[in-house]
């Protein structure tokens, strides 16, 4: 019992660390660019000192996109005809449309209504609205409050800068024994929304810290970027490397509530990232919901986009767009819980353990291997029987760089433990490899 109590106490302490970090990050006003992103990365860097922070100048071209001007906001409010401040950025940073231009004017209610955003079907929450690529301004407020506004003159103030600057992102590479990589990507561009935004960076931070302390075969790459534009820039800079080395990747988002796990596959749904994710979910969260790639909506769009097509999927709790709190002020630190964060992190740890234990196998030679001269074919006095030869050849037949021993056991019907033993023997003899970059491929003609 003492051991169990200690385990419970450790779990409780760790849950507190996760939720406290979320509480620290929650008030920061983040956007595509600006000081909120820098402050967030600075706090993550306190836990991950090796995190590298980069600045990309406004106007930089990335594929079909261009890095926008930098936005920083200080103050914003609306005063009603009596001078009462009815909407205030200082009370909640969702009150201002993201990337609003500076404004200071007095206007009547009819004109003000053109710049107000609310949700009649959710009258008590503040919606999340942005205008990144069209110069505009606006305020967001609960619809119930909007309905109380009376005719008259309203003072509106948005004290902000929107001018050339830079986009900020962070990345961390944790080397392993192999140059093959596992990619974890999350975004840091939303203001105060706890599940849609903060759960990803929080879990990515503590997952990276844990991976840095374990023995690992893979190299792990963590990317903290503004959604869409930051990911597109990162791909424009590193696409060749990523296509050569990434064996599986996952976008971390919406993983802090306590709903059933959700799964967004890659474009094909058949990559190694998909196989491992389904395996881990089926074992640890059998009630998980699998969505179609046609229902995508986060950065898996970019990682799986035309001519990029990386093996990237996403494991979430309540999927974006599918829970009523999404993109509103109700996505807060009451909706995200310490237990939700910890159990999601635990599942991602199990994902890493599975990736480390069962790695894709590839033939290290071209064509069928000559087994006889390696003592792997039955001859007079031989050490292996015909059944084992068939198993070896079946193992080779499916060792195409996408299947691990579990996949091959499922495909062939051979015993998993037998395949594990044989694969280790064949790796030792240079016939199979788990490091299947093209530059590792060689002909065994000796």
């Amino acid at each position: 019992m003492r051991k169990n109590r200690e385990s419970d106490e450790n779990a409780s302490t760790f849950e507190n660390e996760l939720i406290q970090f979320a509480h620290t990050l929650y008030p920061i006003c983040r956007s595509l660019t600006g000081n909120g992103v820098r402050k967030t990365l600075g706090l993550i860097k306190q836990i991950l000192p090796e995190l590298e922070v980069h600045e990309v100048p406004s106007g930089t071209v990335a594929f079909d996109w261009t890095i926008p001007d930098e936005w920083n906001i200080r103050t914003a409010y609306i005063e009603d005809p009596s001078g009462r401040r009815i909407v205030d950025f200082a009370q909640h940073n969702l009150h201002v449309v993201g990337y609003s231009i500076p404004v200071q004017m007095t206007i009547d209610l009819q004109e003000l209504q053109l710049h107000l955003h609310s949700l009649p079907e959710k009258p008590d929450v503040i919606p999340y609205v942005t205008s990144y690529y069209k110069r505009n301004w606006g305020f967001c407020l609960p619809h119930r409050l909007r309905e109380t506004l009376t005719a008259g003159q309203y003072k509106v103030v948005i004290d902000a800068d929107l001018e050339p600057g830079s986009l900020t992102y962070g990345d961390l590479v944790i080397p392993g024994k192999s140059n093959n990589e596992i990619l974890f990507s999350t975004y840091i561009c939303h203001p105060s929304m706890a599940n849609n935004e903060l759960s990803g960076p929080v879990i990515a931070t503590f997952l990276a810290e844990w991976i840095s302390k374990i023995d690992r075969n893979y190299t792990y790459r963590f990317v903290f970027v503004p959604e869409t534009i930051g990911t597109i820039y990162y791909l424009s800079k590193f696409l060749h490397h990523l296509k050569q080395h990434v064996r599986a990747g996952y976008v971390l988002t919406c993983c802090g509530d306590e709903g059933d796990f959700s799964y967004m596959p890659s474009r094909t749904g058949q990559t190694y990232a998909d196989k491992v994710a389904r395996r881990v979910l089926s074992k640890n969260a059998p009630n998980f919901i699998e969505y179609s790639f046609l229902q995508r909506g986060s950065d898996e769009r970019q990682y799986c986009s035309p001519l990029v097509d990386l093996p990237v999927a996403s494991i979430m709790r309540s999927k974006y767009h599918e829970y009523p709190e999404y993109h509103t002020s109700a996505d807060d630190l009451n909706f995200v819980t310490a237990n939700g964060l910890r159990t999601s992190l635990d599942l991602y740890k199990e994902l890493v353990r599975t990736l480390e234990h069962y790695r894709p196998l590839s033939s290290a030679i071209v064509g069928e291997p000559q087994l006889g001269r390696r003592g792997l074919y039955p001859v007079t006095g031989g050490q292996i029987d015909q059944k084992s030869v068939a198993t070896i050849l079946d193992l080779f037949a499916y060792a195409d760089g996408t299947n691990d021993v579990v996949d091959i056991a499922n495909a062939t019907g051979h015993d998993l433990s037998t395949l594990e033993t044989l694969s280790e023997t064949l790796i030792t003899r240079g016939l199979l490899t788990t490091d299947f970059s093209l530059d590792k491929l060689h002909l065994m003609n000796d």
Side-chain angles (χ1 to χ4, degrees):
M1 291 294 294
R2 176 179 172 80
K3 183 177 181 180
N4 290 336
R5 283 199 299 272
E6 288 177 351
S7 177
D8 291 341
E9 289 170 3
N10 289 337
S12 176
T13 299
F14 189 58
E15 283 185 2
N16 288 336
E17 289 181 25
L18 288 167
I19 199 67
Q20 284 304 316
F21 193 50
H23 275 272
T24 299
L25 298 179
Y26 183 77
I28 301 171
C29 184
R30 286 166 291 274
S31 188
L32 289 188
T33 62
N35 292 326
V37 177
R38 295 187 185 96
K39 184 175 181 179
T40 299
L41 289 171
L43 291 167
I44 292 171
K45 192 174 174 65
Q46 291 179 14
I47 299 174
L48 303 175
E50 302 303 315
L51 180 76
E52 294 188 8
V53 178
H54 310 270
E55 302 282 350
V56 185
S58 300
T60 301
V61 174
F63 295 148
D64 201 39
W65 294 63
T66 302
I67 302 298
D69 284 346
E70 181 176 330
W71 185 65
N72 287 292
I73 183 169
R74 289 171 289 277
T75 304
Y77 58 85
I78 301 174
E79 290 182 354
D80 69 8
S82 70
R84 181 172 61 98
R85 192 167 292 191
I86 56 172
V87 174
D88 194 343
F89 170 78
Q91 297 301 315
H92 203 297
N93 53 39
L94 288 185
H95 272 310
V96 178
V97 171
Y99 260 62
S100 285
I101 61 175
V103 172
Q104 184 167 346
M105 62 177 73
T106 300
I107 56 177
D108 62 30
L109 178 60
Q110 184 176 1
E111 184 178 354
L112 176 62
Q113 291 283 12
L114 299 176
H115 296 275
L116 296 183
H117 303 269
S118 63
L119 298 172
E121 69 279 12
K122 300 175 184 176
D124 297 312
V125 302
I126 307 167
Y128 170 54
V129 181
T130 62
S131 185
Y132 294 139
Y133 298 104
K134 181 180 180 180
R135 296 293 172 108
N136 206 339
W137 64 272
F139 287 86
C140 303
L141 70 166
H143 192 72
R144 203 177 302 280
L145 172 60
R146 186 176 183 177
E147 290 183 309
T148 68
L149 302 182
T150 58
Q153 297 293 303
Y154 288 77
K155 181 179 180 180
V156 295
V157 173
I158 299 177
D159 180 15
D161 297 321
L162 182 54
E163 56 193 16
S166 62
L167 175 149
T168 312
Y169 74 89
D171 63 354
L172 169 67
V173 177
I174 305 172
K177 297 170 187 174
S178 168
N179 289 328
N180 291 329
E181 293 184 2
I182 305 300
L183 169 70
F184 289 106
S185 180
T186 191
Y187 47 88
I188 48 167
C189 57
H190 289 47
S192 297
M193 286 178 288
N195 199 43
N196 179 224
E197 167 77 349
L198 283 182
S199 62
V202 168
I203 288 179
T205 299
F206 285 88
L207 181 63
E209 183 187 41
W210 175 75
I211 288 173
S212 70
K213 298 175 181 177
I214 65 171
D215 184 51
R216 54 195 175 271
N217 293 297
Y218 282 114
T219 291
Y220 289 83
R221 179 178 295 266
F222 283 82
V223 180
F224 299 81
V225 284
E227 192 176 20
T228 304
I229 183 63
T231 308
I232 289 171
Y233 173 77
Y234 198 81
L235 287 167
S236 73
K237 186 175 176 65
F238 295 107
L239 181 58
H240 179 71
H241 175 90
L242 297 175
K243 286 183 78 72
Q244 272 198 322
H245 295 286
V246 170
R247 298 296 170 250
Y250 302 90
V251 174
L252 279 71
T253 182
C254 296
C255 42
D257 68 297
E258 295 190 30
D260 287 337
F261 279 94
S262 303
Y263 176 59
M264 173 57 62
S266 70
R267 183 185 64 85
T268 67
Q270 300 302 316
T271 69
Y272 191 60
D274 295 298
K275 292 180 181 181
V276 175
R278 289 192 186 99
R279 187 182 303 162
V280 171
L281 284 165
S282 295
K283 180 180 179 181
N284 297 277
N287 293 325
F288 79 96
I289 304 166
E290 178 165 343
Y291 289 90
S292 163
F293 185 69
L294 298 177
Q295 296 168 282
R296 65 197 180 279
S298 186
D299 270 340
E300 70 278 350
R301 297 177 359 256
Q302 313 312 327
Y303 288 112
C304 300
S305 60
L307 303 182
V308 175
D309 209 21
L310 290 168
V312 174
S314 183
I315 298 174
M316 300 165 277
R317 300 302 282 262
S318 298
K319 176 184 171 291
Y320 45 77
H321 296 298
E322 301 295 330
Y323 60 96
E325 297 83 358
Y326 177 72
H327 271 196
T328 75
S329 56
D331 187 352
D332 59 17
L333 291 168
N334 292 312
F335 181 59
V336 165
T337 69
N339 181 66
L341 288 169
R342 182 188 58 79
T343 51
S344 293
L345 179 59
D346 286 345
L347 188 124
Y348 267 103
K349 287 180 179 179
E350 186 60 28
L351 184 79
V352 169
R353 291 187 190 100
T354 303
L355 287 163
E356 285 289 328
H357 187 62
Y358 297 118
R359 291 171 289 155
L361 295 168
S362 175
S363 175
I365 65 171
V366 175
E368 184 174 292
Q370 186 179 13
L371 300 180
R373 64 189 178 90
R374 297 181 172 87
L376 297 174
Y377 196 84
V379 293
T380 303
Q383 299 176 351
I384 194 165
D385 60 25
Q386 196 68 46
K387 182 179 178 181
S388 295
V389 171
T391 305
I392 290 172
L393 294 179
D394 287 346
L395 181 54
F396 269 99
Y398 286 90
D400 61 358
T402 66
N403 295 316
D404 61 22
V405 288
V406 176
D407 298 318
I408 297 172
N410 291 336
T412 64
H414 294 307
D415 179 69
L416 176 60
S417 62
T418 299
L419 290 178
E420 287 181 320
T421 301
L422 279 176
S423 65
E424 290 300 323
T425 299
L426 296 172
I427 289 170
T428 301
R429 301 197 184 191
L431 296 178
L432 286 181
T433 181
T434 57
D435 188 3
F436 48 94
S437 303
L438 290 179
D439 58 351
K440 299 290 184 182
L441 189 65
H442 60 279
L443 299 177
M444 300 287 287
N445 290 324
D446 54 320

